[in-house]
Amino acid sequence: MASIFTFDHDPPRVNSPWQSSQDAGKRPHAERSVTAGAVVESEQLSDIHLERLEAEPQDGPIEYKLHLLLRPRRNYSKMSTTLKVSGSQQSKSIREAKQPKQANLPLAASNQTRQNRLHHLTTQLLWRLQQSSPYHSTARRDLVLPRLPEDIADLSALEKPGKLLPGLEESNGALYEIGVADDGTFVGLTKDEMDESMTTLKVMAASLGCRVEVQRMKAVGSCEWMDTTLGLSEELHVADLWVAEALVMPVMNAQNEKDDQQTNRRNTTPKRDASITEQLRVSLIGPTTSGKTTLLGTLSNGTLDNGRGSSRINLLRHRHEVASGRTSSIAQELIGYEGRRIFNYNVDNINEWPDIHDRAENGRLVFLLDSAGHPRYQRTALRALVGWAPHWTLLCIPATEDGTPTPGVHSLSGADGAMSIGIASMDLAMAHLDLCLKLAIPLAILITKSELAQRALLKEKLNTVLTKIKTMGRIPKLLTSAARDEDNLTEVPDIDLQKVEDEVVTPIAQSGDPLSVVPIILTSSVRGMGIGLTHALLRSLPVPPIPTARDFVPLALNPEQPAALFHIDEVFEMQLSRAQTAAPLGSSESAPVVTGYLRFGRLSIGDKVVLGPFPGDDEDTGALVPKDYPSPGYGLSLPHPSSAEFARLSSRQTLSASKIEGEWRQATIVNIRDLRLPVQTIEAGQAGSIQVVFDNSDEEASDPSATHEKPRISSARIRKGQVLAVPSQHMVDTGLSLQAASTLVASFKTSDVKSLTVNSLVNAYVGMVRTAVRILRVTRQKSDLGSRIASTEDNDDVFGMNDHIELERTKSEADLAEYHAEYNVSLELLNSREWIELGSQIILVEGGSKDKSGLEGYVGKVVEIGE
């Protein structure tokens, strides 16, 4: 399965039929795209000899219209263009005899009102605009058409483009050939009729949030008609007939006309140009062969598995995943809920994610992220848990016996399999559980493959899980369902919704802590056991409040906090269209598309942002970074590289990030998708993709040679872990820029960090950042418990009881003080500077070994940042 953020690298293009007709039979591949620029003079000269166009295509973004009048057309006594009928063998006298009868037929039905005709024409224009979009929307949107004034009123007041209709953000436009018959014959309009048709087209386009550009006009003949003057005599009129080509393009920045409105929008409620549907972000983790991807396929496709992985086949992104049955990347899926209804691919008329957006508009969207379970790919689990900051995590634990290949599931035995090196599936599951408990993430546990479970083994696994959960002070809740398994694929059973409400939602609401309850469900993707309860859980789990910039530390302690912050995960390239007005007209260059989630704030198309930090232009740090793919042997994957790998980096004299400049580049947002849905604005907490165009500095604009010397920033230079941000008003007023950290101090409330060796290298995970760091120092902070014990001893000494007897703290007191001890670890970033938010969680992972899962790490909090 392709990433949910992947764009069509070859979107439909709007090719002019004028150029196609000129090149017919010569060079069909040399068609000119009108989205690449205006018509050049040489092409206009070649239009003189063109007598007709190719027939109108049934599909595509090109429309032929005889006229766009909202009234019946006048009667003509003679039209020279109607004699030029292709293939006609009739004599001229016969054709002239038939001409008056044809002229008397009005091209706009007399019984069709102006408002109805405008609605029909606008709907037709909308369909043509959607034809040039990489995504053909099937969602039904109500058109908001202006109420037309009286017949004699001027329509020019309605030509100003309004708000762009949702779904047209990525359209490359539509071409209208006015005065042309469906077979491509030039019929033509008089000057006043052409002006009136253009006005109608502009009104139609404005109601959709688009503008009209006239590409070409050509005189194709003449006409005659009789006009009665004051009811006394008839006057003969002669006029030329014209055809025209007009390009209709979306206006992307109609709502950004004033820069000062940009700040005000971030402090208001979401508008209709943003998705207002509640979104829940959930990560699926667990050991390999635990059935995570299969379960996700059953939930998103609404079909049961055949026992051989049929439900997961559409979710796999790589061929080797299909061959081995082992996920190595993060797959994503979307499920919608409204009431009891489940909106997935099993529902009619749902083919793409925007269809789910449309059907679940008044309900909830659940964004699920799958991850790999094999130790070789454990970086994907850390990425799903730390980088994406999930609201909830579903831990999948198989109910089958360890080391026994399940029918239809690939065995892990082999040179690099976990089973062959002594790491059992249950041990990996407990490593995942320990990490989730350390990260303090709201957690639910799904026992998969329950149809194959042995009672004794299942009981043993449940006891182990329950004991570990209770040790951390959480309450496990084992949920069972009385609903039939086959009835829970299209609707959530009422009994399951009520059970989740009573056992999970209500206790969490009463305690005010989503960590307090850990629901546990026994599931089977083959028989459907527990699928309804899982849907009920996803439908009802509480969503955290909208994130703000003050979630970690007060703004007074962090004046460099931006107004909006977007964490970057993946990077793509996509061609710019003329609808994206930030790009110069005639430009066909591509622009980077960054994907991730909005940590806080609001971003809209047209906003000015900064992106980085980038290294200096003369610095090359690529050789210092380990290659971002797993090594051939187990234990050398990037999340937990071996000591030998880090020693090799040290031998290369790794460069401290403090020696590397951190630069921020200004850019403009030209395109936004919210979970594949084209939108104008993305809100805090939402995941999506953003296309940006980097701004040229004034120096580069004035000196053309500088543009060639300095390479254009492309997606190759943008990397995972960077951020896209809008500086706050305080930063703008004071001249502050975003920080680019080279050192940091993290606080850990565990004595285990004492095992970290000074000057050793470890991997650090904080937000989307994953980087190698050097341990500078480990210091123990003074605890309140130690001071209280010391104070008690001083008071007891007043009675002189310590003159001959030395009182020592008991072992239990020492252990308690050690348990409450807090350690600060100073870290130095290597290879590149990073933007790190003060107060965010951080995980340190040491070099792995063959008897470790790669998830053994130290979880702390960033308390200080240095540049």
Side-chain angles (χ1 to χ4, degrees), residues 556-587:
L557 302 179
N558 189 14
E560 296 181 354
Q561 193 80 323
L565 182 71
F566 184 88
H567 284 288
I568 296 176
D569 177 46
E570 295 183 79
V571 185
F572 299 94
E573 283 276 349
M574 178 181 174
Q575 276 194 340
L576 291 169
S577 68
R578 288 187 61 186
Q580 297 158 346
T581 53
L585 292 179
S587 173

Side-chain angles (χ1 to χ4, degrees), residues 668-734:
T668 302
I669 297 177
V670 296
N671 201 345
I672 298 178
R673 278 188 178 187
D674 183 353
L675 295 178
R676 281 191 182 175
L677 178 70
V679 294
Q680 296 270 343
T681 300
I682 187 171
E683 303 289 341
Q686 295 179 346
S689 52
I690 299 176
Q691 186 177 27
V692 296
V693 174
F694 286 97
D695 300 341
N696 293 325
S697 63
D698 296 337
E699 296 178 359
E700 293 178 356
S702 59
D703 186 6
S705 61
T707 306
H708 299 283
E709 295 175 0
K710 191 172 184 178
R712 180 182 65 88
I713 300 177
S714 64
S715 61
R717 296 198 57 189
I718 303 175
R719 54 181 172 78
K720 182 186 305 182
Q722 290 182 325
V723 296
L724 184 150
V726 176
S728 63
Q729 190 61 41
H730 170 73
M731 299 176 67
V732 174
D733 296 339
T734 58

Side-chain angles (χ1 to χ4, degrees), residues 395 429-437 443 445 465 468-469:
L395 172 59
M430 291 302 98
H432 282 86
L433 179 57
D434 289 336
L435 182 60
C436 290
L437 296 175
L443 177 67
I445 296 177
V465 172
K468 190 173 289 291
I469 293 175

Side-chain angles (χ1 to χ4, degrees), residues 788-808:
R788 287 197 301 269
I789 295 176
S791 176
T792 303
E793 292 177 350
D794 292 341
N795 293 335
D796 292 342
D797 194 48
V798 174
F799 300 97
M801 300 297 296
N802 294 332
D803 290 342
H804 305 287
I805 302 176
E806 181 180 0
L807 297 179
E808 296 181 353

Side-chain angles (χ1 to χ4, degrees), residues 278 280 364 392 443-444 475 477 479 496-520 533-543:
E278 181 182 72
L280 182 71
R364 164 184 287 193
W392 281 80
L443 177 67
I475 304 174
K477 294 281 187 178
L479 306 180
D496 290 346
L497 280 174
Q498 190 62 44
K499 180 176 286 291
V500 171
E501 181 70 25
D502 297 338
E503 300 289 336
V504 180
V505 178
T506 300
I508 289 178
Q510 292 174 350
S511 65
D513 183 12
L515 302 177
S516 59
V517 177
V518 179
I520 303 175
L533 266 176
T534 305
H535 277 299
L537 198 67
L538 296 175
R539 173 68 182 87
S540 306
L541 286 176
V543 178

